[in-house]
Structures are given as structure tokens and as C-alpha cells.
Amino acid sequence: MQYLRVNTLKISPQELKDRLESKGIVLEDTYLDYMFKIVKSPYSPGSTPEYLFGYYYLQNISSTVPPLVLNPSVEDMVLDMCAAPGGKTTHMAQLMNNEGIIVANDMKKERLKSLSSNIQRLGIKNVVILNMDALKLDKLQIYYDKILLDAPCTGNPIKGRSRKITRKDIEYCSRRQKSLLDVGLNILEIGGELVYSTCSLEVEENEEVVHYILDKRNDIQLVDISDFIKETKEINIKEGGIKGTLRIYPPDEPFFIAKFRKVE
Ligand SMILES: C[S@@+](CC[C@H](N)C(=O)[O-])C[C@H]1O[C@@H](n2cnc3c(N)ncnc32)[C@H](O)[C@@H]1O
């Protein structure tokens, strides 16, 4: 199922809906007034003039949840630790009305090209792009009010990979996720919040990562985000294996989401 997120920095949801429907694209409302389900389209939704003008971004409905849970505001200094191709960075820029600062980092140069072209196409002006291994971000000694860690996981399709995911892959991802989360929490301001998400359903990459952090650190608390379940009716969303976390299940793209606050 394909969805589009209206880029409200450039056009209103109603105006875009009218324009696309006049071309034969059939859209359906969702829980977000700026997100539509594409029910029918006579041509590829990524090839319309409206797409090229940056009036919308194509993404799965599940991936709207982590930025909404983080809830960045204009006053916040925001970090997106693993940002490419920028679905969540550009959504956060929209939530911040193109003001404030978002540092969008990704380690892979190749993937930064699509992040950069999406930022340009959507007319986003509050994003600074950084090309670093996120495991080294604490060396910069820059501290953030809000951090999104949309971590690399076994759920991400890897170009050219045809083999099945093994236990070793899951264990490797889990170790890397724990380290990335630890670094992110080190550069969070006291009182600041970090949202951790993956598109994997493996416990080792999700609940186990949360337990690892809560067992290891006294300066971090888990924030209960289960209220979100009521707000997102048409998504197959449930409480995760730890109280206060979220899991999204197929037919929507799977996601695990947890929120942390630094308390001292
Ligand atoms: C799940 S994808 C991010 C998707 C992105 N948040 C979005 O919404 O469009 C994970 C990203 O992490 C990046 N990555 C993997 N290891 C990294 C590391 N050590 N430091 C920074 N980025 C990394 C990958 O290049 C990939 O772009």
C-alpha cells in the first residue's frame, strides 16, 4: 500500500488532493490530515509534476509515527542520527515549520545524495547535513534537545542481498544498535528526549536494546508513549514487549518505537 505525505511547507492538503484527483489519482484520508493513502493511480506517483515540485513525499504510514512521537519544536536543536534518505528528517522539518535546526547525519555518502535531493525538492531550509559514523558523534561535543535514532536493522533491504537473514545478522545489528543508542544518549541535553526506532520485529533489536540501556544507565528513563495507539486508528499498532513502547505489525511496515528522557 502506498501513501503520500503532503509537504505542507509548499501546499495545503486540500489543494494537493484536488490537483491529483483531477488527474485520476484516487486518494483516501488517514489519521493525519496531511497523509493520504493512494488507492489508485494511472501512473507512477513518483513521476507527476506535483512530486517534482516537492508537494509530497512517498512513504509508508508507519514511518510517520517516530517523528510524531519525538514531537520536535522550533526551539529544539534536533539530531537525526541515521537520516538518509530523509523521510523522517523532512517530516520533522515540516513539524518545525522549516525553523529551528535539524542536524541530519548519515554514514553512507551514496545515501546522502538522496537525502540532499529530497531536502532540496521539498524546499527545506532548517537542515544541516553531516556525514559521520554516528558512533563518533559524541566526539563533536554538541548536545541536542531532541534526537531521533532510526537505527539500521535487519528489516532494512540491502541492495544485492538475496540471502536470508541469519541469527548472526540479528546479533550484529543488536550490538550496533546498543552502541548507537548509548552514544545518542550521551549527547542528549538533560531533560532532552530521544526516540529509538527500527523496522525490525526481532526482540534482540528492540526490547533487548531498551533493557540494555535501562539496566546500564541511571540517567535515563523510558517515557510511556502507549497513548499513541488511540491516535493512529488505521495503523496496526500495539504496545511493545515493554510497557510504554510501541510495535507496528504487517500489513503496515513493521516498526518498534521507544522514547527515552535524560533525567540527570
Ligand atoms: C533505517 S535507515 C534510515 C532511514 C531514515 N531515517 C528515513 O526515515 O528516511 C538507516 C540508515 O542508517 C545509516 N547508517 C548505518 N550505520 C550508520 C552509522 N554507524 N552511522 C550513521 N549512519 C549509519 C544507513 O546508511 C541508513 O541510511
Side-chain angles (χ1 to χ4, degrees):
M1 192 55 65
Q2 211 167 19
Y3 292 82
L4 65 85
R5 171 169 51 81
V6 183
N7 179 19
T8 51
L9 299 172
K10 285 198 172 181
I11 194 166
S12 72
Q14 193 56 53
E15 195 184 343
L16 180 67
K17 195 174 189 203
D18 292 345
R19 281 181 75 140
L20 294 180
E21 290 194 332
S22 73
K23 295 176 177 181
I25 297 179
V26 180
L27 300 174
E28 206 173 81
D29 290 348
T30 70
Y31 86 102
L32 273 181
D33 62 356
Y34 55 86
M35 189 86 184
F36 295 115
K37 185 193 267 187
I38 305 171
V39 178
K40 205 176 91 186
S41 181
Y43 25 74
S44 161
S47 64
T48 66
E50 286 78 7
Y51 179 82
L52 299 174
F53 295 154
Y55 290 169
Y56 60 92
Y57 188 91
L58 294 167
Q59 69 180 106
N60 193 283
I61 196 158
S62 316
S63 58
T64 57
V65 179
L68 291 170
V69 169
L70 187 62
N71 193 24
S73 84
V74 171
E75 283 83 38
D76 291 325
M77 172 86 169
V78 180
L79 170 67
D80 191 345
M81 292 176 74
C82 299
K88 299 181 190 70
T89 301
T90 56
H91 187 187
M92 291 196 289
Q94 187 172 331
L95 294 173
M96 293 165 76
N97 205 22
N98 228 352
E99 293 171 45
I101 296 179
I102 304 175
V103 176
N105 176 68
D106 204 280
M107 187 171 74
K108 300 207 178 113
K109 262 214 167 89
E110 266 312 297
R111 289 177 63 90
L112 281 182
K113 286 183 197 156
S114 45
L115 172 67
S116 160
S117 82
N118 280 323
I119 285 170
Q120 278 185 26
R121 185 175 62 82
L122 297 171
I124 284 161
K125 299 191 176 83
N126 62 342
V127 172
V128 178
I129 294 179
L130 191 63
N131 179 206
M132 269 183 75
D133 179 350
L135 290 169
K136 298 184 178 150
L137 282 169
D138 50 352
K139 305 252 183 311
L140 299 181
Q141 297 199 356
I142 300 173
Y143 296 86
Y144 299 88
D145 305 301
K146 301 255 166 90
I147 298 180
L148 177 65
L149 171 54
D150 187 33
C153 66
T154 57
N156 300 135
I158 294 175
K159 234 176 156 185
R161 182 173 72 187
S162 50
R163 66 177 174 82
K164 270 186 86 172
I165 289 160
T166 64
R167 197 108 296 276
K168 252 188 159 170
D169 295 328
I170 295 169
E171 282 161 12
Y172 169 76
C173 276
S174 175
R175 276 196 304 278
R176 186 171 53 168
Q177 287 151 347
K178 287 170 187 163
S179 305
L180 284 166
L181 182 52
D182 221 4
V183 169
L185 293 167
N186 286 342
I187 51 174
L188 191 61
E189 292 279 10
I190 294 172
E193 292 180 333
L194 183 150
V195 167
Y196 173 77
S197 59
T198 76
C199 59
S200 158
L201 285 176
E202 305 295 339
V203 172
E204 291 86 342
E205 301 185 58
N206 300 315
E207 283 86 352
E208 191 184 299
V209 176
V210 173
H211 277 308
Y212 167 80
I213 290 296
L214 296 178
D215 289 348
K216 183 180 177 211
R217 304 185 60 140
N218 292 325
D219 58 340
I220 301 299
Q221 278 178 358
L222 191 66
V223 179
D224 188 335
I225 52 173
S226 55
D227 265 4
F228 230 82
I229 296 169
K230 290 180 225 139
E231 292 173 37
T232 48
K233 273 175 260 123
E234 70 266 70
I235 304 181
N236 190 11
I237 190 166
K238 298 191 168 59
E239 191 154 53
I242 298 175
K243 195 177 174 316
T245 62
L246 297 175
R247 270 178 176 262
I248 302 176
Y249 292 95
D252 301 305
E253 186 188 355
F255 259 95
F256 171 84
I257 304 158
K259 187 173 184 172
F260 300 91
R261 183 176 298 130
K262 197 169 195 170
V263 288
E264 58 185 55

